Amino acid sequence: MQAMILAAGFGTRLRPYSMKRPKPLFPVLDQSLLLRVINQVRQSGAERILVNCHYLAGQMASALDDQDVEIQEESEILGTGGALRRALSFFKAEPILVVNADIYHTIDLAWVYRNHLSSGADATLVLHHYPRFNNVTLHSDGRITGIRDHLPEQPELAFTGIQVINPELLRRLPEGRYADIVEYYQGWLKEGADLRGLVSRGHFWSDLGTAQDYLALHERLLQVMCRNRKVSLFKGRDVILPSDVTVRDWAVVGTGVKIGEGVHLERVVVWDGAVVEKKSILKDDIIT
């Protein structure tokens, strides 16, 4: 299996936090989301892994230094389609598993890849019911009939950001310029391309689109980890909390964080290496 992880975006909706780190390197329970995604892809059976980057590319390259993956650094943003088109020279002539680097999920990627191989489709998009993003219509036989078209009287599902694409389809994309793969999917559907939807159920999925999404993800994860506890606290390595630090609801404190006396933490994520001054009162925030 071979895979590409899309990680070049600007993370505009996560500013000012994304001005310090690119979104794929945001820590989730003290581990960067990108490293988690790489582990998922590798455990699914991928032996060739390519990660593209553009924004704060130096940080991305440093984070990937010991990960045994190939890096595609893009001097200009190419979009999902443009990045995939450029990556074809790296990949073999077999289907490519493609995942977004800003999604936290528990979907079985090996199951996704197997289903694509057995379907004979040009591309397989993993879908689920997520009303906030529902915009893909699906025929009862699994064929995608519309994307972003809001066809009347047809139920809609959301694209999870996980897909498998045959290289032959990607060669239809323009070379060396920006392209949105979903926009091309819309055109290819009208030309008769076989695009399938694979519906996933019973999984955990979260998009890191906004600061609120990021905090909500941590709250959900801690609810699972710390069931029946009124207060949930996650600590990374080398963290010492003064005895008078108070925590309400939940908090995540990353590796090497230094916290002063009399600090109050309430629904807060503190990134690794941060310093929290004494008597600070932190609520519903990300501390970098």
Side-chain angles (χ1 to χ4, degrees):
M1 185 194 299
Q2 53 188 3
M4 182 165 185
I5 300 172
L6 299 173
F10 292 100
T12 305
R13 291 182 296 157
L14 277 163
R15 290 179 178 169
Y17 312 107
S18 57
M19 297 174 71
K20 186 176 180 69
R21 294 186 190 183
K23 182 164 59 169
L25 297 186
F26 276 34
V28 175
L29 295 182
D30 203 35
Q31 179 190 39
S32 83
L33 182 56
L34 179 58
L35 295 187
R36 182 182 189 276
V37 173
I38 290 172
N39 288 336
Q40 278 184 296
V41 169
R42 188 170 283 129
Q43 289 170 11
S44 73
E47 297 177 349
R48 297 171 64 86
I49 302 174
L50 179 67
V51 181
N52 76 324
C53 62
H54 169 74
Y55 177 63
L56 297 178
Q59 286 191 38
M60 296 285 286
S62 295
L64 297 172
D65 186 54
D66 60 350
Q67 289 300 306
D68 191 27
V69 299
E70 189 76 14
I71 300 173
Q72 176 174 287
E73 187 172 336
E74 299 165 4
S75 58
E76 296 182 6
I77 199 78
L78 293 175
T80 51
L84 284 162
R85 181 64 181 85
R86 179 177 169 185
L88 281 178
S89 60
F90 170 77
F91 289 117
K92 299 177 181 179
E94 59 188 49
I96 303 165
L97 171 69
V98 182
V99 297
N100 289 350
D102 60 353
I103 302 296
Y104 187 105
H105 69 88
T106 59
I107 296 171
D108 184 344
L109 298 177
W111 166 73
V112 173
Y113 199 80
R114 289 194 304 271
N115 271 272
H116 174 78
L117 294 180
S118 64
S119 73
D122 296 316
T124 298
L125 280 64
V126 181
L127 309 176
H128 64 164
H129 181 60
Y130 203 89
R132 177 177 163 191
F133 299 127
N134 283 0
N135 64 5
V136 180
T137 50
L138 196 64
H139 190 274
S140 58
D141 65 4
R143 288 181 297 107
I144 292 174
T145 55
I147 302 175
R148 298 175 180 168
D149 292 332
H150 301 288
L151 300 177
E153 299 182 2
Q154 289 202 32
E156 294 183 320
L157 295 167
F159 177 38
T160 61
I162 301 168
Q163 55 196 312
V164 183
I165 314 172
N166 293 346
E168 294 80 6
L169 190 64
L170 293 175
R171 289 194 178 89
R172 301 189 195 180
L173 290 164
E175 196 169 0
R177 63 185 178 89
Y178 181 92
D180 177 351
I181 189 68
V182 174
E183 290 182 0
Y184 278 86
Y185 279 151
Q186 291 175 294
W188 292 336
L189 279 174
K190 295 174 183 176
E191 296 171 5
D194 186 2
L195 306 183
R196 302 291 178 93
L198 178 62
V199 181
S200 178
R201 298 180 177 86
H203 59 267
F204 186 100
W205 185 95
S206 180
D207 166 48
L208 267 67
T210 67
Q212 291 73 26
D213 292 331
Y214 180 71
L215 292 172
L217 168 61
H218 282 87
E219 181 174 16
R220 290 171 65 193
L221 292 174
L222 287 173
Q223 285 173 347
V224 173
M225 292 175 59
C226 308
R227 289 182 181 138
N228 303 321
R229 297 185 193 174
K230 292 183 179 180
V231 177
S232 302
L233 173 65
F234 179 95
K235 288 195 305 178
R237 303 181 309 278
D238 303 322
V239 175
I240 299 176
L241 296 182
S243 59
D244 60 353
V245 169
T246 59
V247 178
R248 182 174 180 183
D249 291 340
W250 62 268
V252 174
V253 180
T255 292
V257 168
K258 300 185 184 302
I259 294 184
E261 297 176 348
V263 167
H264 177 81
L265 304 173
E266 187 172 340
R267 299 181 300 277
V268 168
V269 177
V270 185
W271 284 3
D272 50 289
V275 176
V276 180
E277 300 295 337
K278 65 180 181 180
K279 297 185 179 179
S280 298
I281 298 176
L282 306 176
K283 296 182 180 180
D284 301 302
D285 205 356
I286 304 167
I287 309 303
T288 63

